[in-house]
Amino acid sequence: MNWLDRSASIAPPGFNRWLIPPAALAVHLCIGQAYATSVYKSALIGHFEVSQTAIGVIFSIAIVMLGLSAAIMGTWVERSGPRKSMFVAASFWGVGFLVGAAGIFTSQLWLVYLGYGVIGGIGLGIGYISPVSTLMKWFPDRPGMATGMAIMGFGGGALIASPMSTALLKFFDGFNPAINGADWIASGSSVGKLFLTLGILYFAVMMYGVANIRVPAASWKPRGWNPSTTKVDAMVTTAHVSAANAIKTRSFWLIWAALFLNVTAGIGILEQASPMIQDFFRGADGNSAVNAAVAAGFVGMLSIGNMAGRFIWSSTSDIIGRKRIYMVYLGVGALFYTVLAFFGGSSMLLFVAMAVVIISFYGGSFSTAPAYLRDLFGTYQVGAIHGRLLTAWSAAGIAGPLIVNGLLDMQGKPGTMMASNYLPVLLTMVVLLIIGFIATTLIKPVASKYHEPEAALTSATQEA
Amino acid sequence: MSDQTHHAGAGVQGNSAARVTNVDPYDVPTTLATGKVIFGWALVGIPLLYGVITTLSKVGQLFG
């Protein structure tokens, strides 16, 4: 299909670059549904009559596949261009839901693992990295803002998917508030219908992105922006490094470590958000001042912080620099975690404010990462390098919950803990963030021996 | 939204005096495509706004 080729998606003269962010967002808002799986978790547990872990594995498989597919397919995505890779992502994401629906209707859990977990997870990985390097090429003057816009969508996807899925489940189940109480749990068949609906809907919306994404001509640049007059920054290279060479550099692994440690610490709060706020405000009589509905409000607040941080902090990095913003994420993050650990239980406002800022740093570290990679390794294969970096996310997705759950299990049973029981967890996160802060300070410009020769770059440009 | 132009490889174009000059074929004003821009941003913005408002309605209970 020639229409999907990179060469067919080169923007014509006069193309408005502000058409690109909605195309990128169309993909990221859809795949961001991955953060909203808790909506139907209880329904699937009841339908398949299995443990929480067995259903939680679906999400875990999807996140592991996200990291693996982004790392393995990154070079292909870079070579094929955003249109073809976004089409492949839309197909995998849509088909993943349809196969998952088949698994629910036939009560075969392995089909849900295969569909949503494996097939959908591949769609997640390819979709996540597909539009990012293209956006940075369209906004070379504001790469942080550009990646922030797209990756904000991944955070925002759950904000849309969560209420939309609840509304659809109620519709499919014929929910009646007079009959169904507050403890209503959706039926398995309605979750199956939800998967069918989401598969078709997400494929259609992502196809809008496929149809409207464009790559700029090789030497295009915004009017009035002259790279040669831009303030010289040793941390921003004009050279280019291949993905194969990038992973041989110390700087790549230092960014990997910083992202891994920041995400691990962020997951510490995200994973435990609802019980955590209830435990922090539990009285001596064992009753919490925070009920489940208020805790849900806190989780919603964190989602908004996660999404907003992706745009705000990444845009800020265009002004203060990528290294400094990462030092803020990790340094100020460690400070706020310490405040949360020792004083979080004294005030609801303080607790929520600290947690929301920490989660905004969590989101910001994701969206700033591709711009940081561009600064250090150039635009040549930045999408492929970004794909390899995302293995840090997969690793943190395993390490974060393991650390948090392991330490909390030693403190007591769920529903009986208090603020003091969270000290070991939160102080562990502080140590992780300090290590990440040190790693960030050690990031240096990439040595010239890793730079691509000019001839190879010219040849690659002509082939594209 | 119109702060851009293309500066691609040198094109060749003659003027009325038949003098050959290098003219950038992409050096044209940006087509605003207002309808497409509004549709695109509405497609992603309206659902996002719906999600944010729905979530904020729950957040109100935190301090209510």
Side-chain angles (χ1 to χ4, degrees), chain A residues 11-48:
Chain A
F15 186 82
N16 188 341
R17 65 175 172 169
W18 287 96
L19 283 164
I20 301 302
L25 272 166
V27 171
H28 272 248
L29 284 172
C30 291
I31 60 175
Q33 185 277 346
Y35 275 146
T37 50
S38 61
V39 171
Y40 44 74
K41 190 175 178 182
S42 299
L44 288 181
I45 290 170
H47 178 69
F48 287 106

PDB file of all heavy atoms in Angstrom, chain A residues 11-48:
ATOM      1  N   ALA A  11       4.853  16.201   3.605  1.00  0.00           N
ATOM      2  CA  ALA A  11       3.912  17.327   3.550  1.00  0.00           C
ATOM      3  C   ALA A  11       4.161  18.212   2.330  1.00  0.00           C
ATOM      4  O   ALA A  11       5.308  18.458   1.965  1.00  0.00           O
ATOM      5  CB  ALA A  11       4.063  18.162   4.819  1.00  0.00           C
ATOM      6  N   PRO A  12       3.086  18.685   1.693  1.00  0.00           N
ATOM      7  CA  PRO A  12       3.241  19.594   0.556  1.00  0.00           C
ATOM      8  C   PRO A  12       3.674  20.974   1.042  1.00  0.00           C
ATOM      9  O   PRO A  12       3.577  21.270   2.241  1.00  0.00           O
ATOM     10  CB  PRO A  12       1.832  19.637  -0.036  1.00  0.00           C
ATOM     11  CG  PRO A  12       0.934  19.354   1.123  1.00  0.00           C
ATOM     12  CD  PRO A  12       1.686  18.423   2.012  1.00  0.00           C
ATOM     13  N   PRO A  13       4.133  21.829   0.143  1.00  0.00           N
ATOM     14  CA  PRO A  13       4.499  23.197   0.551  1.00  0.00           C
ATOM     15  C   PRO A  13       3.324  23.890   1.232  1.00  0.00           C
ATOM     16  O   PRO A  13       2.177  23.735   0.823  1.00  0.00           O
ATOM     17  CB  PRO A  13       4.854  23.875  -0.771  1.00  0.00           C
ATOM     18  CG  PRO A  13       5.237  22.762  -1.678  1.00  0.00           C
ATOM     19  CD  PRO A  13       4.396  21.592  -1.283  1.00  0.00           C
ATOM     20  N   GLY A  14       3.639  24.648   2.286  1.00  0.00           N
ATOM     21  CA  GLY A  14       2.609  25.428   2.964  1.00  0.00           C
ATOM     22  C   GLY A  14       1.783  24.642   3.961  1.00  0.00           C
ATOM     23  O   GLY A  14       0.809  25.156   4.498  1.00  0.00           O
ATOM     24  N   PHE A  15       2.159  23.414   4.231  1.00  0.00           N
ATOM     25  CA  PHE A  15       1.375  22.576   5.153  1.00  0.00           C
ATOM     26  C   PHE A  15       1.392  23.178   6.560  1.00  0.00           C
ATOM     27  O   PHE A  15       2.433  23.626   7.050  1.00  0.00           O
ATOM     28  CB  PHE A  15       1.950  21.157   5.186  1.00  0.00           C
ATOM     29  CG  PHE A  15       1.134  20.185   5.986  1.00  0.00           C
ATOM     30  CD1 PHE A  15       0.016  19.577   5.443  1.00  0.00           C
ATOM     31  CD2 PHE A  15       1.475  19.893   7.302  1.00  0.00           C
ATOM     32  CE1 PHE A  15      -0.740  18.685   6.179  1.00  0.00           C
ATOM     33  CE2 PHE A  15       0.728  18.995   8.048  1.00  0.00           C
ATOM     34  CZ  PHE A  15      -0.386  18.390   7.480  1.00  0.00           C
ATOM     35  N   ASN A  16       0.239  23.185   7.204  1.00  0.00           N
ATOM     36  CA  ASN A  16       0.119  23.747   8.550  1.00  0.00           C
ATOM     37  C   ASN A  16       0.533  22.699   9.582  1.00  0.00           C
ATOM     38  O   ASN A  16      -0.136  21.679   9.750  1.00  0.00           O
ATOM     39  CB  ASN A  16      -1.330  24.194   8.791  1.00  0.00           C
ATOM     40  CG  ASN A  16      -1.476  24.966  10.093  1.00  0.00           C
ATOM     41  OD1 ASN A  16      -0.637  24.890  10.985  1.00  0.00           O
ATOM     42  ND2 ASN A  16      -2.550  25.730  10.184  1.00  0.00           N
ATOM     43  N   ARG A  17       1.623  22.966  10.290  1.00  0.00           N
ATOM     44  CA  ARG A  17       2.146  21.950  11.217  1.00  0.00           C
ATOM     45  C   ARG A  17       1.237  21.711  12.426  1.00  0.00           C
ATOM     46  O   ARG A  17       1.385  20.723  13.125  1.00  0.00           O
ATOM     47  CB  ARG A  17       3.542  22.332  11.701  1.00  0.00           C
ATOM     48  CG  ARG A  17       3.609  23.597  12.536  1.00  0.00           C
ATOM     49  CD  ARG A  17       5.040  23.796  13.044  1.00  0.00           C
ATOM     50  NE  ARG A  17       5.199  25.087  13.703  1.00  0.00           N
ATOM     51  CZ  ARG A  17       6.269  25.418  14.405  1.00  0.00           C
ATOM     52  NH1 ARG A  17       7.266  24.572  14.546  1.00  0.00           N
ATOM     53  NH2 ARG A  17       6.364  26.606  14.962  1.00  0.00           N
ATOM     54  N   TRP A  18       0.265  22.606  12.663  1.00  0.00           N
ATOM     55  CA  TRP A  18      -0.637  22.414  13.805  1.00  0.00           C
ATOM     56  C   TRP A  18      -1.691  21.346  13.547  1.00  0.00           C
ATOM     57  O   TRP A  18      -2.522  21.053  14.408  1.00  0.00           O
ATOM     58  CB  TRP A  18      -1.275  23.745  14.207  1.00  0.00           C
ATOM     59  CG  TRP A  18      -0.267  24.616  14.873  1.00  0.00           C
ATOM     60  CD1 TRP A  18       0.477  25.603  14.299  1.00  0.00           C
ATOM     61  CD2 TRP A  18       0.174  24.535  16.235  1.00  0.00           C
ATOM     62  NE1 TRP A  18       1.354  26.152  15.212  1.00  0.00           N
ATOM     63  CE2 TRP A  18       1.181  25.510  16.415  1.00  0.00           C
ATOM     64  CE3 TRP A  18      -0.168  23.727  17.317  1.00  0.00           C
ATOM     65  CZ2 TRP A  18       1.834  25.700  17.639  1.00  0.00           C
ATOM     66  CZ3 TRP A  18       0.476  23.920  18.529  1.00  0.00           C
ATOM     67  CH2 TRP A  18       1.462  24.897  18.683  1.00  0.00           C
ATOM     68  N   LEU A  19      -1.650  20.749  12.321  1.00  0.00           N
ATOM     69  CA  LEU A  19      -2.502  19.588  12.053  1.00  0.00           C
ATOM     70  C   LEU A  19      -1.863  18.298  12.576  1.00  0.00           C
ATOM     71  O   LEU A  19      -2.539  17.269  12.692  1.00  0.00           O
ATOM     72  CB  LEU A  19      -2.731  19.452  10.535  1.00  0.00           C
ATOM     73  CG  LEU A  19      -3.735  20.426   9.929  1.00  0.00           C
ATOM     74  CD1 LEU A  19      -3.587  20.458   8.416  1.00  0.00           C
ATOM     75  CD2 LEU A  19      -5.153  20.028  10.309  1.00  0.00           C
ATOM     76  N   ILE A  20      -0.572  18.352  12.890  1.00  0.00           N
ATOM     77  CA  ILE A  20       0.139  17.140  13.311  1.00  0.00           C
ATOM     78  C   ILE A  20      -0.175  16.722  14.757  1.00  0.00           C
ATOM     79  O   ILE A  20      -0.423  15.539  15.024  1.00  0.00           O
ATOM     80  CB  ILE A  20       1.659  17.305  13.099  1.00  0.00           C
ATOM     81  CG1 ILE A  20       1.965  17.594  11.610  1.00  0.00           C
ATOM     82  CG2 ILE A  20       2.423  16.058  13.533  1.00  0.00           C
ATOM     83  CD1 ILE A  20       1.471  16.534  10.652  1.00  0.00           C
ATOM     84  N   PRO A  21      -0.197  17.667  15.726  1.00  0.00           N
ATOM     85  CA  PRO A  21      -0.496  17.227  17.099  1.00  0.00           C
ATOM     86  C   PRO A  21      -1.836  16.495  17.256  1.00  0.00           C
ATOM     87  O   PRO A  21      -1.888  15.471  17.956  1.00  0.00           O
ATOM     88  CB  PRO A  21      -0.461  18.547  17.902  1.00  0.00           C
ATOM     89  CG  PRO A  21       0.477  19.416  17.128  1.00  0.00           C
ATOM     90  CD  PRO A  21       0.219  19.079  15.690  1.00  0.00           C
ATOM     91  N   PRO A  22      -2.945  16.946  16.606  1.00  0.00           N
ATOM     92  CA  PRO A  22      -4.176  16.154  16.753  1.00  0.00           C
ATOM     93  C   PRO A  22      -4.039  14.745  16.191  1.00  0.00           C
ATOM     94  O   PRO A  22      -4.607  13.796  16.746  1.00  0.00           O
ATOM     95  CB  PRO A  22      -5.218  16.952  15.945  1.00  0.00           C
ATOM     96  CG  PRO A  22      -4.674  18.324  15.843  1.00  0.00           C
ATOM     97  CD  PRO A  22      -3.187  18.192  15.850  1.00  0.00           C
ATOM     98  N   ALA A  23      -3.268  14.609  15.094  1.00  0.00           N
ATOM     99  CA  ALA A  23      -3.062  13.270  14.519  1.00  0.00           C
ATOM    100  C   ALA A  23      -2.316  12.378  15.511  1.00  0.00           C
ATOM    101  O   ALA A  23      -2.645  11.202  15.690  1.00  0.00           O
ATOM    102  CB  ALA A  23      -2.286  13.381  13.202  1.00  0.00           C
ATOM    103  N   ALA A  24      -1.321  12.962  16.173  1.00  0.00           N
ATOM    104  CA  ALA A  24      -0.550  12.198  17.168  1.00  0.00           C
ATOM    105  C   ALA A  24      -1.408  11.894  18.395  1.00  0.00           C
ATOM    106  O   ALA A  24      -1.393  10.777  18.932  1.00  0.00           O
ATOM    107  CB  ALA A  24       0.689  12.996  17.573  1.00  0.00           C
ATOM    108  N   LEU A  25      -2.189  12.897  18.802  1.00  0.00           N
ATOM    109  CA  LEU A  25      -3.049  12.717  19.981  1.00  0.00           C
ATOM    110  C   LEU A  25      -4.125  11.663  19.737  1.00  0.00           C
ATOM    111  O   LEU A  25      -4.521  10.944  20.660  1.00  0.00           O
ATOM    112  CB  LEU A  25      -3.702  14.053  20.349  1.00  0.00           C
ATOM    113  CG  LEU A  25      -2.900  14.946  21.294  1.00  0.00           C
ATOM    114  CD1 LEU A  25      -3.477  16.361  21.303  1.00  0.00           C
ATOM    115  CD2 LEU A  25      -2.889  14.377  22.711  1.00  0.00           C
ATOM    116  N   ALA A  26      -4.591  11.573  18.485  1.00  0.00           N
ATOM    117  CA  ALA A  26      -5.624  10.584  18.160  1.00  0.00           C
ATOM    118  C   ALA A  26      -5.127   9.178  18.483  1.00  0.00           C
ATOM    119  O   ALA A  26      -5.895   8.309  18.885  1.00  0.00           O
ATOM    120  CB  ALA A  26      -6.014  10.686  16.686  1.00  0.00           C
ATOM    121  N   VAL A  27      -3.836   8.959  18.296  1.00  0.00           N
ATOM    122  CA  VAL A  27      -3.255   7.648  18.613  1.00  0.00           C
ATOM    123  C   VAL A  27      -3.051   7.506  20.122  1.00  0.00           C
ATOM    124  O   VAL A  27      -3.467   6.523  20.735  1.00  0.00           O
ATOM    125  CB  VAL A  27      -1.916   7.463  17.862  1.00  0.00           C
ATOM    126  CG1 VAL A  27      -1.194   6.202  18.338  1.00  0.00           C
ATOM    127  CG2 VAL A  27      -2.167   7.398  16.365  1.00  0.00           C
ATOM    128  N   HIS A  28      -2.414   8.508  20.730  1.00  0.00           N
ATOM    129  CA  HIS A  28      -2.075   8.390  22.153  1.00  0.00           C
ATOM    130  C   HIS A  28      -3.295   8.384  23.069  1.00  0.00           C
ATOM    131  O   HIS A  28      -3.308   7.696  24.092  1.00  0.00           O
ATOM    132  CB  HIS A  28      -1.085   9.495  22.551  1.00  0.00           C
ATOM    133  CG  HIS A  28       0.345   9.087  22.327  1.00  0.00           C
ATOM    134  ND1 HIS A  28       1.230   8.874  23.342  1.00  0.00           N
ATOM    135  CD2 HIS A  28       1.010   8.806  21.190  1.00  0.00           C
ATOM    136  CE1 HIS A  28       2.391   8.491  22.846  1.00  0.00           C
ATOM    137  NE2 HIS A  28       2.283   8.455  21.541  1.00  0.00           N
ATOM    138  N   LEU A  29      -4.340   9.131  22.721  1.00  0.00           N
ATOM    139  CA  LEU A  29      -5.557   9.113  23.548  1.00  0.00           C
ATOM    140  C   LEU A  29      -6.207   7.729  23.525  1.00  0.00           C
ATOM    141  O   LEU A  29      -6.802   7.305  24.507  1.00  0.00           O
ATOM    142  CB  LEU A  29      -6.559  10.159  23.053  1.00  0.00           C
ATOM    143  CG  LEU A  29      -6.247  11.624  23.399  1.00  0.00           C
ATOM    144  CD1 LEU A  29      -7.215  12.561  22.677  1.00  0.00           C
ATOM    145  CD2 LEU A  29      -6.321  11.865  24.903  1.00  0.00           C
ATOM    146  N   CYS A  30      -6.088   7.031  22.379  1.00  0.00           N
ATOM    147  CA  CYS A  30      -6.698   5.696  22.273  1.00  0.00           C
ATOM    148  C   CYS A  30      -5.886   4.668  23.051  1.00  0.00           C
ATOM    149  O   CYS A  30      -6.440   3.883  23.818  1.00  0.00           O
ATOM    150  CB  CYS A  30      -6.803   5.285  20.801  1.00  0.00           C
ATOM    151  SG  CYS A  30      -7.997   6.247  19.878  1.00  0.00           S
ATOM    152  N   ILE A  31      -4.566   4.675  22.864  1.00  0.00           N
ATOM    153  CA  ILE A  31      -3.779   3.634  23.544  1.00  0.00           C
ATOM    154  C   ILE A  31      -3.660   3.929  25.038  1.00  0.00           C
ATOM    155  O   ILE A  31      -3.352   3.032  25.828  1.00  0.00           O
ATOM    156  CB  ILE A  31      -2.380   3.446  22.895  1.00  0.00           C
ATOM    157  CG1 ILE A  31      -1.552   4.738  22.941  1.00  0.00           C
ATOM    158  CG2 ILE A  31      -2.516   2.941  21.472  1.00  0.00           C
ATOM    159  CD1 ILE A  31      -0.129   4.569  22.417  1.00  0.00           C
ATOM    160  N   GLY A  32      -3.949   5.176  25.437  1.00  0.00           N
ATOM    161  CA  GLY A  32      -3.930   5.519  26.864  1.00  0.00           C
ATOM    162  C   GLY A  32      -5.002   4.781  27.652  1.00  0.00           C
ATOM    163  O   GLY A  32      -5.007   4.805  28.882  1.00  0.00           O
ATOM    164  N   GLN A  33      -5.904   4.099  26.928  1.00  0.00           N
ATOM    165  CA  GLN A  33      -6.948   3.285  27.596  1.00  0.00           C
ATOM    166  C   GLN A  33      -6.299   2.261  28.521  1.00  0.00           C
ATOM    167  O   GLN A  33      -6.907   1.806  29.495  1.00  0.00           O
ATOM    168  CB  GLN A  33      -7.818   2.590  26.529  1.00  0.00           C
ATOM    169  CG  GLN A  33      -8.996   1.824  27.048  1.00  0.00           C
ATOM    170  CD  GLN A  33      -8.657   0.398  27.517  1.00  0.00           C
ATOM    171  OE1 GLN A  33      -7.582  -0.109  27.225  1.00  0.00           O
ATOM    172  NE2 GLN A  33      -9.582  -0.209  28.230  1.00  0.00           N
ATOM    173  N   ALA A  34      -5.046   1.925  28.223  1.00  0.00           N
ATOM    174  CA  ALA A  34      -4.356   0.891  29.021  1.00  0.00           C
ATOM    175  C   ALA A  34      -4.342   1.226  30.513  1.00  0.00           C
ATOM    176  O   ALA A  34      -4.256   0.322  31.345  1.00  0.00           O
ATOM    177  CB  ALA A  34      -2.930   0.726  28.510  1.00  0.00           C
ATOM    178  N   TYR A  35      -4.433   2.521  30.845  1.00  0.00           N
ATOM    179  CA  TYR A  35      -4.418   2.924  32.252  1.00  0.00           C
ATOM    180  C   TYR A  35      -5.813   2.813  32.900  1.00  0.00           C
ATOM    181  O   TYR A  35      -5.959   3.123  34.080  1.00  0.00           O
ATOM    182  CB  TYR A  35      -3.956   4.381  32.380  1.00  0.00           C
ATOM    183  CG  TYR A  35      -2.457   4.582  32.428  1.00  0.00           C
ATOM    184  CD1 TYR A  35      -1.867   5.700  31.872  1.00  0.00           C
ATOM    185  CD2 TYR A  35      -1.630   3.662  33.074  1.00  0.00           C
ATOM    186  CE1 TYR A  35      -0.485   5.911  31.927  1.00  0.00           C
ATOM    187  CE2 TYR A  35      -0.266   3.856  33.136  1.00  0.00           C
ATOM    188  CZ  TYR A  35       0.308   4.975  32.561  1.00  0.00           C
ATOM    189  OH  TYR A  35       1.658   5.170  32.627  1.00  0.00           O
ATOM    190  N   ALA A  36      -6.817   2.421  32.112  1.00  0.00           N
ATOM    191  CA  ALA A  36      -8.194   2.405  32.646  1.00  0.00           C
ATOM    192  C   ALA A  36      -8.744   0.996  32.782  1.00  0.00           C
ATOM    193  O   ALA A  36      -9.956   0.790  32.809  1.00  0.00           O
ATOM    194  CB  ALA A  36      -9.105   3.237  31.748  1.00  0.00           C
ATOM    195  N   THR A  37      -7.856   0.004  32.872  1.00  0.00           N
ATOM    196  CA  THR A  37      -8.331  -1.386  32.911  1.00  0.00           C
ATOM    197  C   THR A  37      -9.034  -1.730  34.226  1.00  0.00           C
ATOM    198  O   THR A  37      -9.765  -2.714  34.296  1.00  0.00           O
ATOM    199  CB  THR A  37      -7.156  -2.372  32.715  1.00  0.00           C
ATOM    200  OG1 THR A  37      -6.117  -2.014  33.628  1.00  0.00           O
ATOM    201  CG2 THR A  37      -6.612  -2.313  31.303  1.00  0.00           C
ATOM    202  N   SER A  38      -8.810  -0.900  35.261  1.00  0.00           N
ATOM    203  CA  SER A  38      -9.424  -1.218  36.560  1.00  0.00           C
ATOM    204  C   SER A  38     -10.947  -1.114  36.501  1.00  0.00           C
ATOM    205  O   SER A  38     -11.640  -1.689  37.340  1.00  0.00           O
ATOM    206  CB  SER A  38      -8.879  -0.275  37.630  1.00  0.00           C
ATOM    207  OG  SER A  38      -9.190   1.064  37.304  1.00  0.00           O
ATOM    208  N   VAL A  39     -11.470  -0.402  35.488  1.00  0.00           N
ATOM    209  CA  VAL A  39     -12.927  -0.219  35.364  1.00  0.00           C
ATOM    210  C   VAL A  39     -13.659  -1.557  35.282  1.00  0.00           C
ATOM    211  O   VAL A  39     -14.724  -1.728  35.853  1.00  0.00           O
ATOM    212  CB  VAL A  39     -13.252   0.651  34.114  1.00  0.00           C
ATOM    213  CG1 VAL A  39     -14.741   0.683  33.838  1.00  0.00           C
ATOM    214  CG2 VAL A  39     -12.726   2.055  34.290  1.00  0.00           C
ATOM    215  N   TYR A  40     -13.087  -2.519  34.547  1.00  0.00           N
ATOM    216  CA  TYR A  40     -13.786  -3.803  34.359  1.00  0.00           C
ATOM    217  C   TYR A  40     -13.045  -4.962  35.024  1.00  0.00           C
ATOM    218  O   TYR A  40     -13.337  -6.126  34.755  1.00  0.00           O
ATOM    219  CB  TYR A  40     -13.991  -4.083  32.856  1.00  0.00           C
ATOM    220  CG  TYR A  40     -12.793  -3.810  31.985  1.00  0.00           C
ATOM    221  CD1 TYR A  40     -11.698  -4.667  31.984  1.00  0.00           C
ATOM    222  CD2 TYR A  40     -12.759  -2.695  31.163  1.00  0.00           C
ATOM    223  CE1 TYR A  40     -10.598  -4.420  31.187  1.00  0.00           C
ATOM    224  CE2 TYR A  40     -11.657  -2.430  30.373  1.00  0.00           C
ATOM    225  CZ  TYR A  40     -10.570  -3.304  30.380  1.00  0.00           C
ATOM    226  OH  TYR A  40      -9.474  -3.046  29.589  1.00  0.00           O
ATOM    227  N   LYS A  41     -12.086  -4.638  35.894  1.00  0.00           N
ATOM    228  CA  LYS A  41     -11.296  -5.702  36.530  1.00  0.00           C
ATOM    229  C   LYS A  41     -12.195  -6.634  37.378  1.00  0.00           C
ATOM    230  O   LYS A  41     -12.133  -7.864  37.243  1.00  0.00           O
ATOM    231  CB  LYS A  41     -10.214  -5.069  37.403  1.00  0.00           C
ATOM    232  CG  LYS A  41      -9.192  -6.073  37.919  1.00  0.00           C
ATOM    233  CD  LYS A  41      -8.068  -5.361  38.684  1.00  0.00           C
ATOM    234  CE  LYS A  41      -7.076  -6.383  39.241  1.00  0.00           C
ATOM    235  NZ  LYS A  41      -6.008  -5.738  40.022  1.00  0.00           N
ATOM    236  N   SER A  42     -13.048  -6.036  38.226  1.00  0.00           N
ATOM    237  CA  SER A  42     -13.914  -6.856  39.076  1.00  0.00           C
ATOM    238  C   SER A  42     -14.876  -7.694  38.233  1.00  0.00           C
ATOM    239  O   SER A  42     -15.160  -8.854  38.570  1.00  0.00           O
ATOM    240  CB  SER A  42     -14.723  -5.961  40.019  1.00  0.00           C
ATOM    241  OG  SER A  42     -13.852  -5.246  40.843  1.00  0.00           O
ATOM    242  N   ALA A  43     -15.362  -7.121  37.134  1.00  0.00           N
ATOM    243  CA  ALA A  43     -16.294  -7.849  36.261  1.00  0.00           C
ATOM    244  C   ALA A  43     -15.603  -9.067  35.660  1.00  0.00           C
ATOM    245  O   ALA A  43     -16.204 -10.153  35.577  1.00  0.00           O
ATOM    246  CB  ALA A  43     -16.792  -6.923  35.153  1.00  0.00           C
ATOM    247  N   LEU A  44     -14.344  -8.921  35.263  1.00  0.00           N
ATOM    248  CA  LEU A  44     -13.619 -10.054  34.668  1.00  0.00           C
ATOM    249  C   LEU A  44     -13.298 -11.116  35.721  1.00  0.00           C
ATOM    250  O   LEU A  44     -13.324 -12.312  35.430  1.00  0.00           O
ATOM    251  CB  LEU A  44     -12.330  -9.560  33.985  1.00  0.00           C
ATOM    252  CG  LEU A  44     -12.522  -8.769  32.683  1.00  0.00           C
ATOM    253  CD1 LEU A  44     -11.176  -8.346  32.097  1.00  0.00           C
ATOM    254  CD2 LEU A  44     -13.285  -9.591  31.647  1.00  0.00           C
ATOM    255  N   ILE A  45     -12.987 -10.662  36.949  1.00  0.00           N
ATOM    256  CA  ILE A  45     -12.729 -11.627  38.031  1.00  0.00           C
ATOM    257  C   ILE A  45     -13.969 -12.496  38.258  1.00  0.00           C
ATOM    258  O   ILE A  45     -13.884 -13.719  38.353  1.00  0.00           O
ATOM    259  CB  ILE A  45     -12.347 -10.883  39.339  1.00  0.00           C
ATOM    260  CG1 ILE A  45     -10.958 -10.244  39.190  1.00  0.00           C
ATOM    261  CG2 ILE A  45     -12.357 -11.841  40.528  1.00  0.00           C
ATOM    262  CD1 ILE A  45     -10.598  -9.285  40.320  1.00  0.00           C
ATOM    263  N   GLY A  46     -15.137 -11.838  38.282  1.00  0.00           N
ATOM    264  CA  GLY A  46     -16.394 -12.575  38.472  1.00  0.00           C
ATOM    265  C   GLY A  46     -16.708 -13.456  37.278  1.00  0.00           C
ATOM    266  O   GLY A  46     -17.143 -14.603  37.445  1.00  0.00           O
ATOM    267  N   HIS A  47     -16.483 -12.973  36.084  1.00  0.00           N
ATOM    268  CA  HIS A  47     -16.831 -13.725  34.867  1.00  0.00           C
ATOM    269  C   HIS A  47     -15.980 -14.988  34.724  1.00  0.00           C
ATOM    270  O   HIS A  47     -16.492 -16.059  34.409  1.00  0.00           O
ATOM    271  CB  HIS A  47     -16.639 -12.811  33.654  1.00  0.00           C
ATOM    272  CG  HIS A  47     -16.912 -13.473  32.342  1.00  0.00           C
ATOM    273  ND1 HIS A  47     -18.174 -13.859  31.958  1.00  0.00           N
ATOM    274  CD2 HIS A  47     -16.068 -13.845  31.330  1.00  0.00           C
ATOM    275  CE1 HIS A  47     -18.110 -14.418  30.751  1.00  0.00           C
ATOM    276  NE2 HIS A  47     -16.837 -14.432  30.364  1.00  0.00           N
ATOM    277  N   PHE A  48     -14.656 -14.831  34.939  1.00  0.00           N
ATOM    278  CA  PHE A  48     -13.760 -15.987  34.767  1.00  0.00           C
ATOM    279  C   PHE A  48     -13.600 -16.796  36.065  1.00  0.00           C
ATOM    280  O   PHE A  48     -12.993 -17.862  36.038  1.00  0.00           O
ATOM    281  CB  PHE A  48     -12.382 -15.507  34.288  1.00  0.00           C
ATOM    282  CG  PHE A  48     -12.366 -15.052  32.850  1.00  0.00           C
ATOM    283  CD1 PHE A  48     -12.292 -13.701  32.522  1.00  0.00           C
ATOM    284  CD2 PHE A  48     -12.438 -15.979  31.815  1.00  0.00           C
ATOM    285  CE1 PHE A  48     -12.276 -13.286  31.205  1.00  0.00           C
ATOM    286  CE2 PHE A  48     -12.418 -15.569  30.486  1.00  0.00           C
ATOM    287  CZ  PHE A  48     -12.340 -14.219  30.178  1.00  0.00           C
TER     288      PHE A  48
END
